[in-house]
Amino acid sequence: MSNSTRCAACKSLRRRCPQDCTLAPYFPSTNPQRFACVHKIFGASNITKMLQQLPVHQRAVAADCISFEASSRVRDPVYGCVGIITQLHQLILVAQRELAEIQGQVALYGAQQGQEQKRMAQSQVHQYNGPIWFTTSQQDPPHLD
Amino acid sequence: MGGNSPCASCKLLRRRCAKDCIFAPYFPSDDPHKFAIVHKVFGASNVSKMLQELPIHQRADAVSSLVYEANARVRDPVYGCVGAISYLQNQVSQLQMQLAVAQAEILCIQMQQEPALPTHQIDSDDKSLLLHSNLNNLPQYLNFASTSNVIQDPLKRESLWT
């Protein structure tokens, strides 16, 4: 890469950007902030080492994740992305509690409905006896089997 | 830490451990691995700068979170902590769906029981069940394409704070 197309890393470090620059594919000159964050938190040589230890096809993902961690740490210098993990854990706990509550309500409604249906079915059986007995010409009520 | 034994950082960095050593309170000499891993991922001078920029009462928590992140990155050199975030976000989405289904179920049951009631007469308490979940308006922490392939194996739910 010529001087005029140095990657963000080499620009920031004020050095020549070689053609095989490890960082160039992941820290383009169009996004200097991305490298600035990562450099502030991890340091250029650490990032280079981390990426060099990975196979090429995994470096883009790793660079994205490292970038995310660095920007989280810049945004929250005490907890970084561990703060996000803690928040998500808490959200999950709250949601599980809510879900259990609602599912309990559904079960309760279901049980109430079941009881109501049973009661209605039983009252229909009693009513059935009355009309037949009064409308037939027989003197005795019908036998119930 | 003066004439006493140097802290883990100064031992590793092979230097004199000053009385006001910034690392000494958080990296005792009996746990050399803790500093080693933070130094490997972040570098001693970066950690020192980060701690110096924080008020003293926040430094212990900052060190704990740095240790956690460093461990995550060593265990998973590609995704680090982001793997856990992605897994947890998926869990939250699933719970959101389950909640929506359960809420719809309750609505159906209530409408079956009182079919004559127009919908606007649904009790306000029941409305509070509807989508007033804490999961609404959840921020999307991860929105880069590469996280679509994040492995599902989460970090263990170990205690974050020692």
Side-chain angles (χ1 to χ4, degrees):
Chain A
M1 245 184 214
S2 71
N3 265 352
S4 59
T5 53
R6 284 183 296 172
C7 69
C10 293
K11 251 189 188 164
S12 167
L13 299 169
R14 288 174 201 186
R15 65 185 189 195
R16 191 180 69 86
C17 191
Q19 262 195 329
D20 59 350
C21 174
T22 306
L23 302 178
Y26 319 110
F27 298 99
S29 56
T30 47
N31 192 354
Q33 187 57 28
R34 179 171 148 111
F35 180 75
C37 263
V38 160
H39 181 42
K40 177 179 173 149
I41 302 302
F42 293 96
S45 59
N46 281 338
I47 311 162
T48 306
K49 264 187 250 164
M50 284 193 251
L51 293 181
Q52 281 174 343
Q53 283 166 1
L54 293 171
V56 175
H57 68 276
Q58 288 185 319
R59 290 181 189 179
V61 177
D64 280 347
C65 294
I66 289 168
S67 233
F68 179 83
E69 284 178 33
S71 59
S72 301
R73 178 69 53 183
V74 165
R75 215 173 314 149
D76 180 354
V78 181
Y79 299 106
C81 62
V82 174
I84 299 173
I85 291 175
T86 308
Q87 266 187 333
L88 286 169
H89 272 308
Q90 282 166 353
L91 272 177
I92 286 169
L93 282 173
V94 168
Q96 284 172 337
R97 232 177 285 141
E98 226 172 281
L99 186 64
E101 211 178 289
I102 294 179
Q103 284 174 339
Q105 298 240 354
V106 169
L108 186 66
Y109 275 125
Q112 282 174 351
Q113 228 180 3
Q115 276 179 354
E116 182 64 24
Q117 282 169 354
K118 196 177 169 186
R119 195 185 62 75
M120 281 175 61
Q122 281 173 346
S123 71
Q124 275 172 3
V125 167
H126 289 310
Q127 282 172 5
Y128 172 82
N129 286 339
I132 295 292
W133 187 53
F134 282 112
T135 55
T136 58
S137 56
Q138 291 173 345
Q139 294 295 314
D140 297 320
H143 289 290
L144 290 174
D145 293 324
Chain B
M1 269 221 161
N4 297 338
S5 78
C7 69
S9 343
C10 294
K11 249 187 190 165
L12 186 75
L13 299 170
R14 290 178 198 178
R15 63 187 195 191
R16 191 178 69 84
C17 191
K19 259 196 201 166
D20 59 352
C21 173
I22 195 162
F23 295 121
Y26 317 108
F27 297 102
S29 55
D30 58 1
D31 191 358
H33 173 76
K34 192 173 164 186
F35 181 76
I37 205 159
V38 162
H39 178 47
K40 179 181 171 139
V41 174
F42 296 99
S45 61
N46 287 333
V47 175
S48 171
K49 272 186 236 162
M50 283 190 254
L51 291 180
Q52 278 169 358
E53 285 169 9
L54 291 172
I56 292 178
H57 68 276
Q58 288 185 319
R59 290 179 187 176
D61 276 357
V63 165
S64 294
S65 68
L66 286 168
V67 170
Y68 184 90
E69 266 191 60
N71 272 312
R73 187 136 289 279
V74 165
R75 212 176 317 164
D76 184 351
V78 180
Y79 295 102
C81 259
V82 174
I85 293 176
S86 180
Y87 173 78
L88 292 170
Q89 270 196 317
N90 282 341
Q91 269 204 309
V92 167
S93 301
Q94 282 175 17
L95 280 166
Q96 224 173 353
M97 280 194 301
Q98 287 173 356
L99 266 171
V101 165
Q103 285 163 347
E105 238 178 290
I106 282 207
L107 249 188
C108 279
I109 290 170
Q110 286 170 345
M111 289 176 87
Q112 278 170 11
Q113 286 180 345
E114 295 179 84
L117 272 180
T119 48
H120 68 262
Q121 283 187 8
I122 293 174
D123 194 77
S124 59
D125 283 342
D126 300 328
K127 273 190 192 157
S128 70
L129 288 177
L130 298 177
L131 303 173
H132 249 300
S133 162
N134 289 326
L135 297 187
N136 289 334
N137 306 318
L138 180 74
Q140 266 302 315
Y141 294 111
L142 303 176
N143 56 11
F144 46 92
S146 44
T147 53
S148 60
N149 293 327
V150 169
I151 52 170
Q152 292 304 306
D153 185 24
L155 291 174
K156 287 180 195 162
R157 286 197 186 186
E158 56 204 85
S159 167
L160 297 179
W161 315 118
T162 52

